[in-house]
């Protein structure tokens, strides 16, 4: 099983962003522990990151050719990108929405996800463990 992990805007700044919300790991370190966790449960993982909405949309469209499922952390696009929402809806493999922080205990604008209705599941608030949980969920689904 091949899983694509798409990291959205500002996640390349992990390690410099607020530790309370995001932890201390760099994106490279985070992707490393996700890869290791995936290996232990029998998933092959690939990783992409972009700060650009159009690039994320192109990757979402292409994902169904090569992958069985996608984990996506859309960053702040979560809260307002109808274009990313529509891209996910147009693709025929399962998507799981993942957040490091607890978006429901932060500013009210983060309480809304326009992405959630087109994803199979939303996982948040457990830092890197959010991604592990999302992989565990896919293990039961696929
Ligand atoms: C985030 C939460 C978003 O609200 C924020 O804009 C991010 C990261 C998270 O992983 O907790 O950039 O998606």
């Amino acid at each position: 099983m091949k899983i694509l992990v798409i990291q959205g805007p500002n996640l390349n700044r992990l390690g410099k962003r607020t530790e309370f919300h995001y932890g201390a790991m760099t994106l490279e370190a985070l992707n490393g522990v996700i890869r290791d966790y995936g290996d232990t449960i029998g998933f092959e993982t690939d990783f992409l990151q972009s700060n650009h909405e159009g690039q994320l949309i192109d990757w979402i469209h292409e994902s169904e050719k090569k992958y069985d499922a996608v984990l996506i952390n859309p960053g702040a696009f979560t809260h307002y990108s109808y274009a990313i929402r529509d891209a996910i809806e147009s693709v025929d493999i399962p998507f799981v929405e993942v957040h490091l922080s607890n978006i429901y205990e932060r500013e009210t604008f983060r309480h809304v996800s326009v992405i959630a209705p087109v994803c199979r599941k939303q996982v948040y608030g457990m830092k890197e463990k959010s991604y592990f949980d999302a992989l565990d969920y896919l293990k039961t689904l696929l």
Side-chain angles (χ1 to χ4, degrees):
M1 290 282 172
K2 287 193 75 171
I3 311 296
L4 177 62
V5 180
I6 299 179
Q7 308 276 23
N10 297 306
L11 291 166
N12 58 319
R13 305 288 293 169
L14 289 177
K16 296 191 171 80
R17 297 183 78 185
T18 333
E19 194 174 331
F20 177 78
H21 292 304
Y22 302 118
M25 272 187 215
T26 62
L27 181 62
E28 202 188 346
L30 174 66
N31 287 346
V33 296
I34 299 167
R35 184 186 303 283
D36 289 347
Y37 191 81
D39 286 348
T40 64
I41 62 170
F43 284 151
E44 195 182 322
T45 43
D46 285 338
F47 297 85
L48 295 169
Q49 188 276 330
S50 177
N51 296 321
H52 304 279
E53 190 177 26
Q55 177 63 85
L56 294 167
I57 290 167
D58 288 343
W59 286 338
I60 291 165
H61 293 165
E62 288 157 19
S63 64
E64 68 182 350
K65 292 185 216 137
K66 270 179 70 182
Y67 297 97
D68 298 294
V70 177
L71 301 194
I72 186 163
N73 183 343
F77 285 138
T78 304
H79 314 300
Y80 66 92
S81 177
Y82 300 118
I84 289 179
R85 182 206 185 281
D86 287 351
I88 295 172
E89 192 176 33
S90 79
V91 168
D92 215 13
I93 53 173
F95 275 62
V96 179
E97 178 188 334
V98 184
H99 301 283
L100 294 153
S101 67
N102 185 343
I103 55 174
Y104 298 103
E105 288 187 352
R106 300 182 64 190
E107 302 93 324
T108 47
F109 75 85
R110 295 186 205 274
H111 298 181
V112 174
S113 169
V114 301
I115 309 298
V118 292
C119 290
R120 297 296 183 99
K121 189 177 165 73
Q122 184 192 57
V123 190
Y124 56 87
M126 296 181 285
K127 304 206 169 67
E128 72 277 6
K129 292 192 186 68
S130 299
Y131 291 84
F132 302 167
D133 225 55
L135 288 173
D136 285 339
Y137 167 75
L138 286 177
K139 192 74 194 174
T140 63
L141 188 73
L142 296 172

